[in-house]
Structures are given as structure tokens and as C-alpha cells.
Amino acid sequence: QAKKLGKNNYCFFESTGENFIKNKLDLINDLAKAIHNEEFELYYQPKIDVKTMSLVGMEALIRWNHPKLGTIHPNQFIPLAEKTGQIVKIDQWVLKNACMQNKQWQKENYTPMAISINISAINLNHAQLVEKVEGVLEETGLAPGYLELEITESTIIHNIDYASRMIRELQKLGVKISMDDFGTGYASISNIKKIHLDTVKIDKDFIMDLHKDTANKAIVATMISMANTLGVNVIAEGVEEKSQLEFLKKVNCDQVQGYLFSKPLSGKLFKERWLVKQS
Ligand code: C2E
Ligand code: MG
Ligand code: MG
Ligand code: MG
């Protein structure tokens, strides 16, 4: 196992504002216990419709409440879990818990909306993904239209023919597919057309660079216009400033997500602050 991880067996990371150096093997052992010990938690970030400025969906984002290190963010353990294969179990846990939570909110009579989860490359390549999704939908009773899978552009482009077949199979179940981190993986227009995406999500790096020069504005406007032309829903992530929102409005972006509206919140806070009962 150590060999597979390469020469550097230590990782340096920040958790709860402190810096730690941790042996990767220790972290892998901790990860193995995390599901069983219920140390993972889903946080939820609202997706806002630009025209109505109201909530239209939410993204589930995983957090690891490590017993000794405190809250660990996904960038600090997902890449490791992908190397060890532990991501398969983690994503399965996320899938089930996100669907359960969404169904629970619907049972409490909150206005139903889609929940998005992030699917790692390894799981897209797992032949059982379609059956797993189908199984969880059945088990939790969540209607498929209320589940969206976010798959990164690089994952899709890496094996476009295979990915487009998987995406088709998943869409046949009735779930929605979003291309995450759009703009970072060099997908061509013909690729995007070929895979029939429901949504493209413009990567936050583009949104953060909007103010820098007019070229960045032109790039984002072009991505949005392309999505609009193809009839694909388009969302921008990482919206932190009012000026970014104003620009995105002007160029007909459908939805926005970012700290301007809310950071990802625990289920309890998300429900308190964002969900409204159906009338
Ligand atoms: P992502 O799916 O592209 O998610 C966007 C990330 O940007 C999230 O970080 C979110 O908290 C953060 N973010 C949202 N709005 C803003 C903003 O206005 N400004 C800034 N600076 N950041 C913002 P997070 O939660 O740390 O997740 C990082 C990445 O980890 C995600 O990127 C996703 O690729 C991965 N990830 C998260 N949860 C899961 C999961 O359950 N399974 C898998 N496989 N990957 C996950
Ligand atoms: Mg995402
Ligand atoms: Mg993203
Ligand atoms: Mg991203």
C-alpha cells in the first residue's frame, strides 16, 4: 500500500485552522474507520435562480469530522481516497445520505428540489454505478428527477465515448447530469453536444478572474451563450461579489452558487435558513 502512494508518505494539511503533518498510512486507516464511526457529514450549498433570486437546488459537499483533527475538507482526503479505492464506499455513502436527506425534507413538506452530488472519476468507471444509483433511489423512495450527478469535465473528456454511454444510462433512470468545473478540461462544443448534458457548471476560477480583464468576461459570456444555444442549463460556481452576479445576469446565466449567497451549511442550518414549506 505504501509503495502505491509513492515516495512521499506524509501529507501536510490544514484542518480547523491548524496545520498538521500526518502519515498517509495513518490517514488511510482513519478513513477506513470513518464510515463505520459516522464521521462523515454532508453540508449543503444553495443554488439560486438568477431571474427569481430564489432557491432552486442544493449541492451536497462532504466534510470529515475527524475525532482528533477536527473538520477536514474534501480536497484534503478525496484525492487520497481515490488513490486507495476508498472513494467507492465514500461516494456510495454520499449518494445514499444525500437521497435520504432530500426525501426526508420532502416528507417534512418543504418545497421539493434537486440535490446534487459529486461523482468521482473512479465511480463513473465502475460498471455498477447505474445499478447503485437505481438501488439507492428505490431504497430511499426519492424520485429520480430530484437527484443530479456532478461529473467533472476532465473525467468526462478523459474517456468521452464511455462517459457519454454511462451518462445516457443514468439519464434513462431519470437523474440529471451536470458537467462540473466546466472550462478547465478543454471539452469542445461538439463533445458537449454529443453527451446531452442537463447542466454545465462554470468553474469558480473563471468567476474569480472576471474582474481582471475583458478577455475573462468574454470567455465566460461565450461559455454561457454556447450553453444557452444548446439548450443546456448553465450555473456559475464561486460567486462571491455582487459585481460578478450583475455580470452573470447580464450575459444570461441561469443559476449561481457561491459565498455571496451562502457557504455550505450543515443540514440543520440549511433547512433553517433556506428551505420553505410548500403552500
Ligand atoms: P466542486 O464540486 O467543484 O465544489 C465547489 C467547491 O467550491 C466546494 O468546496 C465549495 O465549498 C467551494 N465553494 C463554493 N462557493 C464558493 C465561493 O464562493 N468561493 C470559494 N472560494 N469556494 C466556494 P469543497 O466543499 O471544499 O469541495 C471541494 C471539492 O471536493 C469539490 O469541488 C468536489 O470536487 C470534491 N467533493 C466534495 N464533496 C464530494 C463528495 O461527496 N464526493 C466526491 N467524490 N467529491 C467531493
Ligand atoms: Mg460539484
Ligand atoms: Mg465545481
Ligand atoms: Mg471545482
Side-chain angles (χ1 to χ4, degrees), residues 41-43 45 59-63 73-79 82 87 90-91 93-95 117-121 123 150 152 180-181 201 203-204 208 237-241 244 257-264:
E41 184 178 354
L42 289 178
Y43 272 51
Q45 192 180 33
E59 179 175 9
L61 295 152
I62 197 169
R63 301 290 179 262
H73 284 250
N75 289 336
Q76 316 219 252
F77 67 90
I78 294 284
E82 283 174 338
I87 191 68
I90 294 174
D91 276 1
W93 181 90
V94 171
L95 171 67
I117 62 167
N118 294 283
I119 294 288
S120 120
N123 286 305
E150 296 191 3
T152 64
D180 205 351
D181 300 347
K201 191 172 201 179
D203 191 67
K204 59 176 175 292
M208 287 174 178
E237 69 175 11
V239 179
E240 294 185 358
E241 310 277 341
Q244 295 164 342
Q257 190 181 341
Y259 296 169
L260 178 62
F261 310 97
S262 173
K263 291 199 166 181

Side-chain angles (χ1 to χ4, degrees), residues 155-165 191-192 194-195:
T155 299
I156 293 173
I157 296 313
H158 183 71
N159 191 346
I160 181 90
D161 292 320
Y162 172 78
S164 59
R165 259 184 285 125
N191 279 341
I192 304 241
K194 191 158 123 192
I195 43 189

Side-chain angles (χ1 to χ4, degrees), residues 241-259:
E241 310 277 341
K242 237 178 150 195
S243 57
Q244 295 164 342
L245 172 64
E246 289 314 315
F247 175 77
L248 291 163
K249 237 184 219 173
K250 208 174 72 190
V251 295
N252 297 316
C253 188
D254 299 311
Q255 289 155 17
V256 279
Q257 190 181 341
Y259 296 169

